[in-house]
Amino acid sequence: MTARKIVVALGGNAILANDASAAAQQRALRETAKYLVKFIQQGDSLIISHGNGPQVGNILLQQAAGSTPDNPEMPLDTAVAMTQGSIGYWLQNAMAAELAALGLEMDVATVVTQVVVDEHDPAFDTPTKPIGPFYSREAVSVLKSANPGFHFVEDAGRGYRRVVASPRPVDVVEAGAVNQLAKAGVIPIAAGGGGIPVVRQGNQLIGREAVIDKDFASEKLAERVGADQLIILTAVDHVYVNFNQPQQRQLTTVSVNELRQHIADGQFAAGSMLPKVEAAIEFVTHRPEGQAVITSLSNLGQFIESGSGTVVSMVSADANV
C-alpha cells in the first residue's frame, strides 16, 4: 500500500473524561496513543490535531481565582497556546513510549500553531462560544466595568458565562513547518484547540480573543499540507441520520452532495455533529482526490482493518446511503 498523509483530529474524549488532573489526562493519552500508532505500523505519515475546550476552560478558572494586579491572568490567545504546550507535551510522551514499545524509532514534535482568521469575520460581531466559569449577575457587573469589551450570556439558569467569537480559519501559519516535519519522518502535533487565533496586520500577527472550532482548523491544516485523508474522531462510530429515533440509520460511504442534503434537512445538531460534517465537506471539496472520515477513537482499529466509519468523498460508493 502506498504511504498516505493522514491528519487525525482528536476529540475531547481522547484526552479528558471526568478527572481533570494531569495524571488522568496523561493516562487517557497513553490509551489514545495505542490507537494512533496503528497508522505508523501500516506505513502512513501521521499528523495529529486535538481539541482543548475543557483544558482552556480550566486554565481560565485557575487564572480568575488567582489573578492579582501584580500577577494578572493571561489573554485567551495565550491560554490556547498554553494548552497546546501542555497537551502536546503529554501526547508527545505517550506516542514516544508506544512507538518505543513497538520497536519503532520516530520523533514526535509539538508545533505551537497560529491560525489566521479574518479580522472582519461577522463572528466577531456576535460572540457565541461560551468559555470559562459561571458568574452571578453581580459578578458580571463588576467584570463588565473592568473589561468593557467582554460579552456575557445567561446559560440555562446556571448563571452567566463569558462568550467569545468563533471565527472560521483562513490559513494555518505553521502549515509549511508541519509539512516539512512530516516529510522528514517526524509525527507533528499541530493546530491544538483549533489553533491560536491571529489576524494579520502588516508584518505582524496579532492574537484575538476568540476560539476556533478544532474541526475546521484541522480541515484547514489537512488542506494546506495536502493530506490524503482527514479523520475526525468523535464519540460515535458513524454519522447517523434520524439520530436516536426509531428510523435511525448510519451513514457508511456518503457523497458531499448527499451530506449537504442532510444538512438542509436539519439532520445534524449545531455545535455537535454539524461542524464535523461541514469540515469533512470542506476538505473533500478542496481535495477531491482525498477522503474525510468521521468515526470514534475506539473504532480506529476497525476503520484501518475494514474501513468501518463514515467515509466522505466527492461521489458515494454506497447505493444504499
Side-chain angles (χ1 to χ4, degrees), residues 245-266:
Q245 299 176 35
Q247 65 272 40
Q248 172 179 294
R249 179 166 55 89
Q250 71 181 25
L251 303 179
T252 53
T253 55
V254 59
S255 72
V256 164
N257 286 340
E258 288 165 325
L259 277 183
R260 284 175 175 153
Q261 185 57 56
H262 289 316
I263 291 173
D265 294 338

Side-chain angles (χ1 to χ4, degrees), residues 87-109:
I87 295 171
Y89 156 57
W90 295 332
L91 185 51
Q92 279 179 208
N93 276 271
M95 289 293 294
E98 191 61 28
L99 288 164
L102 295 170
L104 298 170
E105 294 185 6
M106 292 188 70
D107 291 325
V108 188

Side-chain angles (χ1 to χ4, degrees), residues 214-270:
K214 65 95 178 163
D215 296 316
F216 290 128
S218 300
E219 183 283 323
K220 191 60 65 177
L221 175 64
E223 181 188 326
R224 290 292 189 261
V225 300
D228 300 296
Q229 208 167 54
L230 168 64
I231 300 177
I232 298 173
L233 299 182
T234 184
V236 292
D237 295 351
H238 294 82
V239 179
Y240 291 85
V241 292
N242 303 314
F243 187 60
N244 276 343
Q245 299 176 35
Q247 65 272 40
Q248 172 179 294
R249 179 166 55 89
Q250 71 181 25
L251 303 179
T252 53
T253 55
V254 59
S255 72
V256 164
N257 286 340
E258 288 165 325
L259 277 183
R260 284 175 175 153
Q261 185 57 56
H262 289 316
I263 291 173
D265 294 338
Q267 285 286 349
F268 309 123

Side-chain angles (χ1 to χ4, degrees), residues 252-255 258 311 313-321:
T252 53
T253 55
V254 59
S255 72
E258 288 165 325
V311 179
S313 57
M314 286 303 294
V315 179
S316 172
D318 189 344
N320 295 320
V321 174

Side-chain angles (χ1 to χ4, degrees), residues 14-39:
I15 308 168
L16 176 63
N18 297 321
D19 186 345
S21 68
Q25 294 184 72
Q26 286 171 300
R27 283 195 300 272
L29 284 168
R30 284 196 291 271
E31 290 302 309
T32 296
K34 295 180 188 299
Y35 293 99
L36 295 178
V37 295
K38 294 179 186 294
F39 291 105

Side-chain angles (χ1 to χ4, degrees), residues 112-283:
V112 176
T113 312
Q114 302 170 95
V115 173
V116 179
V117 297
D118 183 352
E119 192 166 15
H120 303 292
D121 190 312
F124 283 111
D125 298 324
T126 54
T128 57
K129 183 73 171 177
I131 61 167
F134 290 92
Y135 297 102
S136 67
R137 186 186 296 271
E138 294 74 21
V140 166
S141 179
V142 173
L143 286 166
K144 285 286 287 182
S145 297
N147 304 278
F150 282 14
H151 299 268
F152 295 85
V153 296
E154 196 275 332
D155 189 337
R158 295 176 292 176
Y160 292 80
R161 293 184 77 189
R162 183 182 169 198
V163 289
V164 297
S166 187
R168 288 293 187 102
V170 173
D171 199 6
V172 179
V173 178
E174 288 77 19
V178 171
N179 204 27
Q180 289 301 313
L181 285 170
K183 287 180 178 179
V186 177
I187 301 172
I189 301 167
I196 303 163
V198 296
V199 297
R200 294 191 187 276
Q201 291 185 359
N203 294 325
Q204 289 187 304
L205 295 169
I206 309 297
R208 284 289 180 261
E209 294 278 305
V211 173
I212 303 168
D213 184 279
K214 65 95 178 163
D215 296 316
F216 290 128
S218 300
E219 183 283 323
K220 191 60 65 177
L221 175 64
E223 181 188 326
R224 290 292 189 261
V225 300
D228 300 296
Q229 208 167 54
L230 168 64
I231 300 177
I232 298 173
L233 299 182
T234 184
V236 292
D237 295 351
H238 294 82
V239 179
Y240 291 85
V241 292
N242 303 314
F243 187 60
N244 276 343
Q245 299 176 35
Q247 65 272 40
Q248 172 179 294
R249 179 166 55 89
Q250 71 181 25
L251 303 179
T252 53
T253 55
V254 59
S255 72
V256 164
N257 286 340
E258 288 165 325
L259 277 183
R260 284 175 175 153
Q261 185 57 56
H262 289 316
I263 291 173
D265 294 338
Q267 285 286 349
F268 309 123
S272 179
M273 188 56 73
L274 181 59
K276 301 178 193 322
V277 169
E278 289 180 331
I281 289 172
E282 281 197 29
F283 176 69

